[in-house]
Amino acid sequence: MSDTIINAPANTPFIEVIRDFDATPEQLFRVSTDPDLIAQWLGPNGLEMEVVEYDARPGGRYRYIHREPSGAEYAFRGVFHAVEPGALVIQTFEYEGLPGEVSLEKATYTATDNGVRLRTWSVFGSVQARDTMVASGMESGLNDAMEKLTALVAKETGR
Amino acid sequence: MAYDDEALDRAFLALADPVRRALIARLSRGPATVNELAEPFPITLQAVSRHISVLEAAGLITRTRDGQRRPCHLAPSALEQLTSWIDQYRLETERRFRRIDAVLETVKEQDQ
């Protein structure tokens, strides 16, 4: 376990994320590709997560849905290009709310002295597509901000 | 400290819509015109304009005049936590990795 390194250079369509985990490459790979295990972590906090399919093999497809308590759905899908257990996954990624904005993601699993290093490299179709996608990831941050605001207001008004 | 309940209600209502949250997210990275804001969305310019009016009425964004352009800005006092989109992305990414840590713990127990 360690800090997360995120590189998203301005005016490029790339995002690089690096993070070490206290596990073997095989274990991290399993948690990252097994449909039952993915369902336990891929959905944002507070959202229901449905893994429709997750066939992590070359040519296989995946699709999953995040569902808000209100019923609002956010679906994501893609195909696997290359899958080497415990070592490498290359897949496409598309948010169905922005059809056609497909990014390419490469994940490598490398053994370290005391664990495994995950490096993901995402390539978007344009700088704007990258920024829009990243901004949508802020939803949960916004929700947290609203929760804090609600708590603050409740405290100040004594409700 | 006193809070304006009506203003808060308007802000919460404005942020209940995912398109409007996305617009706010976009504006957290800098001002943009209605045309620029509308570009990534599969909805009409008119619909985006209506969303912007709701955000403006809620005090979350302001509009200035810059020659022919009327760019929208995130209201400085509103949603201070969103000033840095990369920080929010980092928060969400780290949250996800901590969930992976938790799942890994159960997997490791099973492997033993």
Side-chain angles (χ1 to χ4, degrees), chain A residues 16-153:
Chain A
E16 178 186 42
V17 179
I18 298 168
R19 216 271 204 166
D20 291 345
F21 292 86
D22 181 12
T24 66
E26 289 71 25
Q27 285 168 331
L28 181 61
F29 179 86
R30 207 191 320 157
V31 168
S32 304
T33 53
D34 179 291
D36 292 335
L37 295 175
I38 281 175
Q40 294 177 34
W41 62 264
L42 187 53
N45 292 342
L47 267 63
E48 187 194 322
M49 168 71 172
E50 182 191 347
V51 178
V52 180
E53 63 176 326
Y54 213 94
D55 184 14
R57 294 180 299 178
R61 295 188 302 184
Y62 72 90
R63 183 167 188 266
Y64 57 86
I65 301 169
H66 297 160
R67 199 171 284 115
E68 286 187 21
S70 68
E73 292 187 347
Y74 310 93
F76 303 84
R77 68 190 186 107
V79 296
F80 294 97
H81 180 81
V83 179
E84 296 172 19
L88 168 81
V89 175
I90 299 175
Q91 68 197 82
T92 61
F93 173 90
E94 181 180 24
Y95 167 47
E96 292 183 6
L98 289 174
E101 287 290 359
V102 181
S103 61
L104 186 64
E105 300 192 336
K106 179 181 180 180
T108 56
Y109 302 76
T110 312
T112 60
D113 287 346
N114 46 13
V116 52
R117 171 161 298 176
L118 171 70
R119 175 185 184 267
T120 65
W121 175 254
S122 301
V123 182
F124 292 81
S126 66
V127 175
Q128 192 191 33
R130 179 195 72 169
D131 290 354
T132 302
M133 194 59 225
V134 170
S136 72
M138 290 171 44
E139 293 253 324
S140 56
L142 240 175
N143 290 339
D144 286 353
M146 286 175 68
E147 272 171 33
K148 280 182 203 152
L149 192 57
T150 308
L152 189 66
V153 170

Side-chain angles (χ1 to χ4, degrees), chain A residues 1 3-6 8 15 17 19 21-23 27-28 30-31 37 40-45 68 74 97-98 118 128 130-132 134-135 137-146 148-150 152-153 156-157 159, chain B residues 1-3 5 8 11-12 15-19 21-22 24-26 28-29 36 39-42 79 81-82 84-86 88-101 103-108 110-111:
Chain A
M1 215 170 105
D3 291 340
T4 303
I5 297 168
I6 298 178
I15 299 179
V17 179
R19 216 271 204 166
F21 292 86
D22 181 12
Q27 285 168 331
L28 181 61
R30 207 191 320 157
V31 168
L37 295 175
Q40 294 177 34
W41 62 264
L42 187 53
N45 292 342
E68 286 187 21
Y74 310 93
L98 289 174
L118 171 70
Q128 192 191 33
R130 179 195 72 169
D131 290 354
T132 302
V134 170
M138 290 171 44
E139 293 253 324
S140 56
L142 240 175
N143 290 339
D144 286 353
M146 286 175 68
K148 280 182 203 152
L149 192 57
T150 308
L152 189 66
V153 170
E156 293 294 331
T157 58
R159 283 185 211 150
Chain B
M1 195 195 289
Y3 281 86
D5 275 359
L8 276 174
F12 279 122
L15 290 171
D17 182 277
V19 171
R21 287 199 295 272
I24 289 286
R26 163 63 187 84
S28 73
R29 289 179 290 109
E36 288 163 352
E39 209 172 327
F41 296 103
L79 303 165
Q81 305 194 39
L82 290 177
S84 172
W85 59 271
I86 193 69
Q88 292 293 342
Y89 181 73
R90 176 183 301 281
L91 269 179
E92 177 51 35
T93 302
E94 285 177 347
R95 240 181 240 136
R96 180 187 304 163
F97 287 154
R98 283 198 294 277
R99 291 195 295 266
I100 292 181
D101 286 332
V103 177
L104 276 171
E105 286 309 309
T106 59
V107 165
K108 282 192 280 185
Q110 286 160 8
D111 283 356

Side-chain angles (χ1 to χ4, degrees), chain B residues 32-51:
Chain B
T33 63
V34 175
N35 278 315
E36 288 163 352
L37 287 171
E39 209 172 327
F41 296 103
I43 55 177
T44 64
L45 201 59
Q46 286 79 3
V48 170
S49 286
R50 277 197 298 276
H51 284 305

